[in-house]
Every structure is written in structure tokens, then in C-alpha cells.
Amino acid sequence: MCLGKRQENNMEIKGILSYIVIIGLVAAVVLTAAIRPNYSLNMQPTRNVLTVSGESTITTSPDKAEIYLNIQKKAETADGARVLNSEASNAVIAALKAAGLKKEDIETSSFTIYPEQRYDEDTQEYITTGYVVRNVIKATTNKAEESGELIDVAVKAGANSVENVNFGLTTEKKQVVDKDALAKATELAKARAESMADAAGVKLNKLASVEGGSSYMPYIYYGARMEMASASPKDAGTSIMPQALEVRATATLVYEIE
């Protein structure tokens, strides 16, 4: 009797252990499912492609100039300085228009009014000695080679100095140069693709994608930043020779290969 009962107890223990193992396996499966990432990686064969790039640089002369003219006047009062500056500014604008610029070619770049002060050692305070009005006029011309003449006109009319002259390309010329630069970059990329495919022993199929772009950096001439209040009609004319600009383009071609 004791032996039979003992065997029966052993069977119950084994049944309980089996149940625990099953419960553990189920829990592990549930836990694994709970912590599984919510994404999957689907491995597919990579498409055989050849990617090549081409670059080109075209040098061209600028056909646009932006001239920044400084008109500065001082007076005992702020309003007095404003009036003097307004008179001088109007004279400069009128002279520029007479030289061939249109109203839309002339605009105010900046306008400031500030007190001019000096430090008094006796009172240890700053004393206002007057007020300064500064007006910077931006004059744009599509004849870059005439920028020196426009500077002379402005100075003789009352401009005190030239901040700088920016040389660039008009929209029309940039479109033409961009077209040429992109075409050359694309031709170079195509030639490279053909050479690489031939050397690698593969065949170029259809063109999968084409990307490209172009840009250039305007040239800023700072040599004109000088005081010109003493200029007179007898002085030699201002001569400015703008340097050439470089328009850079890139093209990237992607070919399917076999």
C-alpha cells in the first residue's frame, strides 16, 4: 500500500512539473511576442546600378553691378542733419537717374541717425557734439562695365564714399550659363559611366535617375571703400575692372547595369 501510494505521489509531482514547464514555455512565447520590435527587415536582392558624377566650371564676365553709396551729413540737431542728408540724397538720386538708371534700380540699403559724442574729462560725462545721419543708397546697373562712371556721378552729386560694389549675373545671363555648365557636367558624367562600364565588363541599361545643380559666388569689390568728399570734376574718372566669375555645375547619373 505504501509503495503504491508513493508511486502515485511521484506521478502527481511529475504532472505538476510538466504543467509548470508548459506554463513557462507559454509565458516565454508571450513575453517574446511582447518585446518584439514593431518593424521588420525584408531582405530583397539589390538592384545593380552604376552611379557617376560629373563637374564643370564655366568662367564668364559679370553683367550686373550693385553699388552701395554712402551719404553722410552732420549738424547740431538731428533734424538739421536729416535735412542736409535728404538734400544730398535727392541730388545723388537725381544724378543717377540722369545717368540712365530707372527708379526701380535705386533703393535705400540702410538709414541711421545717431548722436556724435565726446568724453569730457572735467565732468566725466559724455557730451553730444552733434548728430549724424547716414543714408546708404544701393544702385543697380545691368552694365557692369559702367560702374566706375556711376560712382563718379554719385560722388560729384554729393555721395561721401562707396561702401562696396557687388558684381554678379543677371537672371537672363545666369540661365544661359547654367544651361551650358549643366550640359557639360552631364556629358562628362555620361562619358565616365561608359568608361567605367567598359572597364568593369558590364553593360549600361536604361538611365534610372538624373540630378544636377549649379551655383556661383558674386564678386565683391571692396577697393571702392574710400572717402571721396574731396573728389572734383577735374579728377580722373574711377576705373573698376571686375574680375571674371566662375559658375560651377554638377550632374549625377544613375544607370541600371547588367
Side-chain angles (χ1 to χ4, degrees), residues 39-91:
Y39 60 86
S40 61
L41 180 62
N42 184 17
M43 299 296 293
Q44 293 186 357
T46 303
R47 184 179 59 173
N48 294 325
V49 297
L50 173 63
T51 302
V52 292
S53 296
E55 310 82 24
S56 71
T57 301
I58 291 183
T59 302
T60 185
S61 57
D63 65 338
K64 182 178 72 173
E66 297 174 344
I67 307 169
Y68 291 82
L69 303 161
N70 177 35
I71 302 169
Q72 185 169 300
K73 296 297 179 180
K74 178 183 175 182
E76 293 182 357
T77 64
D79 189 59
R82 179 194 62 79
V83 171
L84 292 176
N85 191 286
S86 178
E87 293 174 350
S89 297
N90 290 337

Side-chain angles (χ1 to χ4, degrees), residues 151-167:
I151 289 175
D152 292 338
V153 167
V155 171
K156 291 173 184 178
N160 301 97
S161 63
V162 178
E163 293 292 301
N164 56 270
V165 183
N166 298 353
F167 292 101

Side-chain angles (χ1 to χ4, degrees), residues 54 180-194 251 253 255:
D180 292 341
L182 287 169
K184 289 185 177 181
T186 304
E187 290 172 1
L188 177 58
K190 182 180 178 181
R192 284 178 176 174
E194 293 171 348
L253 309 181
Y255 287 93

Side-chain angles (χ1 to χ4, degrees), residues 57-66 138 140-145 165-181 214-220 242-249:
T57 301
I58 291 183
T59 302
T60 185
S61 57
D63 65 338
K64 182 178 72 173
E66 297 174 344
K138 173 185 173 184
T140 303
T141 175
N142 290 344
K143 297 179 180 179
E145 67 280 2
V165 183
N166 298 353
F167 292 101
L169 302 175
T170 59
T171 302
E172 294 76 16
K173 184 168 185 177
K174 187 175 184 302
Q175 289 176 347
V176 173
V177 179
D178 279 353
K179 182 179 179 180
D180 292 341
S214 66
S215 63
Y216 83 97
M217 183 67 69
Y219 170 62
I220 303 178
Q243 69 179 27
L245 302 176
E246 290 187 345
V247 178
R248 303 177 184 273

Side-chain angles (χ1 to χ4, degrees), residues 27-39:
V29 172
V30 173
L31 180 61
T32 301
I35 64 175
R36 187 176 57 187
N38 58 356
Y39 60 86

